[in-house]
Amino acid sequence: MDAVRITEGSTLLEVPASHSAGGPGKILGTVFFNEQMAFNRDVSVMFLRSLDKEVTVADCMTATGSRAVRIANEAPKTIVTANDINAGAIPWIEGNIRLNDLTNCRAVRSSLHSLLADEVFGYVDLDPFGSPVPFLHSAIQGCKRKGILAITATDTAPLAGAHRAKCERRYQSRPIRGPMCHEVGLRIVLATMARELAKFDRGFKPLISFFADHYFRVYVQVVEGTTAADACLDSLAYLSYDPVTLDRSVSHEKDAQHVYGPVWTGPLFDLPTLEAMSPEGMADPRRCSRMLGLWKDELDTHPFLYEVSELSSALKTQTPRYDHLMEVLNSYGRTSRTHLSPTAFKTVLSPKEVKDAFLEAVGD
């Protein structure tokens, strides 16, 4: 296949000339590469670079090796295994290792299940074409004590409620359509990880959990022991939503009202982790800086978000200017923007207070 050279961050990469440049991507040849996932790779590099310590890394489905090679090159204290089961991927991986003169990265051709059964790593990365569910058991098995699991889910449509039955089959959780669909989808991924880890008497601490472009991405630190496992399971709940009253409530028991989920109701981010990350040198430093700022400021203890269009529809009124609405909402109680949507917000306010503030903003 014809190749082109690109620079991503401070890393030179050789990738197929025919490759995806946006959306969920398509497999155009024998080896997959999606240019739009540069931000996803940026976050991996920022995170591992911020640890500033030696970490063994398994990029389990590396394709061209773009993520693995960037990590090895831009977070040089890492020791990286770039793995793919596809024999056609190995020349691309080895070529990119040579291109950057790396001595801390090796190419491996193996089933990820075999790799993670034979070795353990401090950081295990899963970025499959679709759902990560079939690979979670192996990822957990191959993750060291207090290790990091970094998981991508690109099956956004089922998780966001467009294909409910498929989400229920894969994730054993009911999604929701409408304004909260992406937040609920993200929290379904975390709930699934909590239940899978609990089978091994392990829990987790969320470090970074976000939705971007066409995928969900979570970074969690594994915590050993039944206490941690039970605490994570206690953070799972079912969601009730009334589009007329805008009421959102959660219950640990499923009932006639609380039918969505189970979902993770704990935090999405760890502030010290975010504070340690820097956008300097990334492929898209402006986007990285903007997203880090949003993640740091996002109100993270009061799920679930409100959409401006949801409120205007429920109240049958016009939409106020977003910045002014945020000022009014914050005069009632703490409210923040959210990375999940540019026209949504999270707040400590009750649904009645949200509606009162919205009407006040409309009337100004």
Side-chain angles (χ1 to χ4, degrees), residues 4-45:
V4 293
R5 288 187 178 182
I6 64 170
T7 300
E8 197 174 282
S10 59
T11 302
L12 191 60
L13 296 171
E14 195 166 79
V15 300
S18 296
H19 61 261
S20 294
K26 296 179 180 178
I27 299 175
L28 300 176
T30 57
V31 179
F32 179 74
F33 177 76
N34 189 348
E35 209 169 320
Q36 191 183 41
M37 295 295 276
F39 173 68
N40 188 311
R41 294 185 284 270
D42 275 348
V43 178
S44 296
V45 172

Side-chain angles (χ1 to χ4, degrees), residues 250-307:
V250 296
S251 169
H252 289 291
E253 300 296 330
K254 187 175 183 180
D255 57 34
Q257 285 75 45
H258 298 86
V259 296
Y260 303 105
V263 298
W264 170 259
T265 60
L268 300 179
F269 302 104
D270 176 61
L271 188 56
T273 296
L274 299 177
E275 294 283 3
M277 293 166 61
S278 168
E280 184 179 351
M282 293 300 99
D284 192 345
R286 291 183 62 182
R287 185 180 186 186
C288 289
S289 179
R290 179 171 58 86
M291 293 306 292
L292 282 170
L294 277 172
W295 296 341
K296 290 174 188 175
D297 294 340
E298 185 164 330
L299 186 60
D300 201 25
T301 54
H302 288 77
F304 293 81
L305 62 77
Y306 290 83
E307 269 284 357

Side-chain angles (χ1 to χ4, degrees), residues 9-336:
S10 59
T11 302
L12 191 60
L13 296 171
E14 195 166 79
V15 300
S18 296
H19 61 261
S20 294
K26 296 179 180 178
I27 299 175
L28 300 176
T30 57
V31 179
F32 179 74
F33 177 76
N34 189 348
E35 209 169 320
Q36 191 183 41
M37 295 295 276
F39 173 68
N40 188 311
R41 294 185 284 270
D42 275 348
V43 178
S44 296
V45 172
M46 287 192 294
F47 173 76
L48 284 161
R49 191 174 62 182
S50 74
L51 299 181
D52 195 30
K53 64 179 182 180
E54 186 174 290
V55 182
T56 52
V57 172
D59 185 8
C60 298
M61 309 171 89
T62 197
T64 60
S66 53
R67 186 191 304 272
V69 169
R70 280 199 64 192
I71 289 171
N73 187 46
E74 299 175 48
K77 292 187 179 181
T78 55
I79 301 170
V80 183
T81 296
N83 179 74
D84 204 283
I85 195 171
N86 179 7
I90 301 304
W92 294 94
I93 303 165
E94 292 176 338
N96 282 319
I97 291 171
R98 287 193 301 271
L99 203 55
N100 292 276
D101 298 319
L102 298 174
T103 59
N104 61 330
C105 188
R106 61 172 177 145
V108 173
R109 184 197 171 197
S110 175
S111 157
L112 73 82
H113 303 292
S114 297
L115 174 72
L116 298 172
D118 294 339
E119 301 182 51
V120 292
F121 300 86
Y123 173 101
V124 175
D125 197 295
L126 281 184
D127 188 3
F129 196 81
S131 174
V133 169
F135 314 108
L136 287 179
H137 184 103
S138 293
I140 293 167
Q141 181 176 287
C143 190
K144 285 184 177 179
R145 291 175 59 87
K146 301 182 180 179
I148 307 295
L149 291 169
I151 311 293
T152 302
T154 59
D155 53 338
T156 310
L159 284 162
H163 304 299
R164 170 184 157 187
K166 187 177 288 187
C167 184
E168 291 178 339
R169 283 197 306 272
R170 288 179 179 170
Y171 295 91
Q172 303 295 296
S173 186
R174 181 175 175 179
I176 188 172
R177 299 201 72 174
M180 291 181 289
C181 65
H182 290 130
E183 180 173 8
V184 169
L186 182 59
R187 293 181 179 278
I188 286 174
V189 175
L190 286 164
T192 302
M193 294 186 67
R195 288 180 291 177
E196 287 301 309
L197 279 160
K199 295 173 184 177
F200 296 83
D201 290 336
R202 303 169 104 178
F204 68 77
K205 175 182 178 181
L207 302 177
I208 314 168
S209 312
F210 65 93
F211 168 74
D213 302 323
H214 60 277
Y215 61 87
F216 300 97
R217 177 75 166 171
V218 301
Y219 292 73
V220 303
Q221 181 169 32
V222 174
V223 182
E224 304 295 329
T226 55
T227 300
D230 290 343
C232 283
L233 294 177
D234 286 343
S235 292
L236 307 188
Y238 292 89
L239 168 67
S240 171
Y241 173 60
D242 187 329
V244 177
T245 65
L246 305 184
D247 181 61
R248 296 133 159 82
S249 65
V250 296
S251 169
H252 289 291
E253 300 296 330
K254 187 175 183 180
D255 57 34
Q257 285 75 45
H258 298 86
V259 296
Y260 303 105
V263 298
W264 170 259
T265 60
L268 300 179
F269 302 104
D270 176 61
L271 188 56
T273 296
L274 299 177
E275 294 283 3
M277 293 166 61
S278 168
E280 184 179 351
M282 293 300 99
D284 192 345
R286 291 183 62 182
R287 185 180 186 186
C288 289
S289 179
R290 179 171 58 86
M291 293 306 292
L292 282 170
L294 277 172
W295 296 341
K296 290 174 188 175
D297 294 340
E298 185 164 330
L299 186 60
D300 201 25
T301 54
H302 288 77
F304 293 81
L305 62 77
Y306 290 83
E307 269 284 357
V308 171
S309 59
E310 169 196 12
L311 283 153
S312 61
S313 176
L315 296 171
K316 296 179 171 54
T317 186
Q318 65 189 54
T319 301
R321 187 168 53 87
Y322 181 81
D323 288 345
H324 178 57
L325 173 62
M326 292 297 290
E327 290 176 6
V328 175
L329 285 164
N330 272 294
S331 72
Y332 278 67
R334 189 180 170 206
T335 303
S336 77

